[in-house]
Amino acid sequence: MRRCLVLIALLAGCSSPPKGPPDDAALARLGHAGDIAFNLEKPAQAAEQYRAALQRARTRDDAAAIADAGFNLATAQLRAGQTQAALETAHQLQAELARRGILDPAFDLVIATALFRLNDLAAADETAATLTASGDPAMANAAWFLRGLIADTKADRPGLEKAAGSLTKTADAADIDELQARIAHDPALAMHAADVRRTALDYRGMARCLALAAQYTRDPASAADLYLRAGRSAAAMGETAQARIWLTAARDQATDAWLRQDADQELQHLAGP
């Protein structure tokens, strides 16, 4: 999985073989199977393949392959909503590699992202801060973007502005637009960020930006529609808790009976039979 793309997209990825000893056919097959499942939006299946690849990498005692398979596993767990598992995987692999004298900052980004999703904002920001001086521009930009999200969640406007101003020209365009939208409370910028994320197949980020646009939209009917769209996307990805929040907002703000009914139906589906 090419880490530069993962960092730019906040942990979405694709494949590339690890460097090191000659290829192991079984290891390569497991990694490739994981990549296919990941790109087909089946992260739970991808995690199982990456877990098997990690076991194979340990069998061959290949540090580079262990790092790649472990990072891929943690990333897939994040995408699958297995946040605590991703955090534990990242910590475990980081410690394992450290015993070999290997420091891999990519795991810190996984850890910071997982902590943010678990609402441990102080720890998430502290971890992300260690990456902002990284010599890797993609890593630093991803860390600044995450710090911007953390600052906005804490209503820390100076922190948000600092994060937005620290993104370089090589940062992901959607990240730049989203932080600027959060500063200006601009629904148009949030929608543009959503469009860019949709094109990049970053549906989690897209849904977040749709909800952000809804938050800044003054017209209740338009806001309700945006919340409904965000909630449906989150529900389809299995992010039940977040979907419920957005669908409830859609129902409560709806001025149209049909939209309110749609939101109610989606909420009933989340509740199950």
Side-chain angles (χ1 to χ4, degrees):
M1 187 179 292
R2 291 193 186 94
R3 299 191 187 192
C4 61
L5 296 181
V6 173
L7 300 175
I8 292 172
L10 261 187
L11 309 170
C14 56
S15 63
S16 67
K19 297 178 181 179
D23 287 342
D24 177 306
L27 176 60
R29 283 196 299 271
L30 290 168
H32 183 60
D35 293 344
I36 290 174
F38 192 93
N39 292 329
L40 288 175
E41 295 294 324
K42 297 179 179 179
Q45 292 182 23
E48 291 308 310
Q49 295 299 323
Y50 290 140
R51 194 188 315 278
L54 176 59
Q55 182 177 357
R56 184 67 177 183
R58 285 170 171 159
T59 298
R60 87 190 237 115
D61 193 36
D62 182 339
I66 289 170
D68 277 3
F71 179 79
N72 291 352
L73 172 58
T75 300
Q77 289 170 326
L78 270 180
R79 181 66 70 86
Q82 300 168 8
T83 309
Q84 187 62 46
L87 183 62
E88 292 170 0
T89 296
H91 277 306
Q92 180 188 46
L93 268 293
Q94 199 172 51
E96 179 177 348
L97 293 170
R99 292 194 296 269
R100 295 172 176 258
I102 300 171
L103 300 178
D104 192 335
F107 285 105
D108 281 324
L109 186 60
V110 174
I111 290 168
T113 302
L115 288 169
F116 173 62
R117 294 184 186 179
L118 292 169
N119 204 38
D120 190 345
L121 301 183
D125 191 54
E126 182 179 354
T127 303
T130 65
L131 299 172
T132 55
S134 170
D136 182 339
M139 179 83 70
N141 279 324
W144 276 118
F145 173 68
L146 181 56
R147 294 195 74 190
L149 294 184
I150 294 167
D152 195 38
T153 302
K154 296 191 299 183
D156 175 9
R157 186 175 180 85
L160 172 59
E161 291 175 344
K162 180 179 179 180
S166 297
L167 293 178
T168 69
K169 293 181 180 179
T170 62
D172 182 68
D175 289 355
I176 294 172
D177 282 350
E178 182 173 346
L179 292 192
Q180 290 298 329
R182 290 173 182 275
I183 290 171
H185 292 188
D186 186 337
L189 268 178
M191 285 302 298
H192 186 262
D195 290 340
V196 175
R197 296 199 189 286
R198 182 185 299 108
T199 301
L201 307 184
D202 175 15
Y203 299 139
R204 190 179 196 280
M206 179 205 71
R208 184 180 64 244
C209 289
L210 287 174
L212 190 65
Q215 180 182 339
Y216 300 145
T217 296
R218 295 183 178 181
D219 175 47
S222 298
D225 181 60
L226 288 167
Y227 275 128
L228 176 63
R229 290 158 57 183
R232 278 176 165 167
S233 182
M237 289 183 285
E239 297 183 359
T240 304
Q242 187 60 74
R244 186 173 290 112
I245 291 171
W246 290 335
L247 290 169
T248 300
R251 182 193 62 194
D252 292 348
Q253 295 189 33
T255 57
D256 179 275
W258 288 106
L259 195 153
R260 188 179 302 109
Q261 178 178 306
D262 284 347
D264 270 329
Q265 287 178 346
E266 293 288 348
L267 285 167
Q268 289 171 13
H269 290 158
L270 289 178

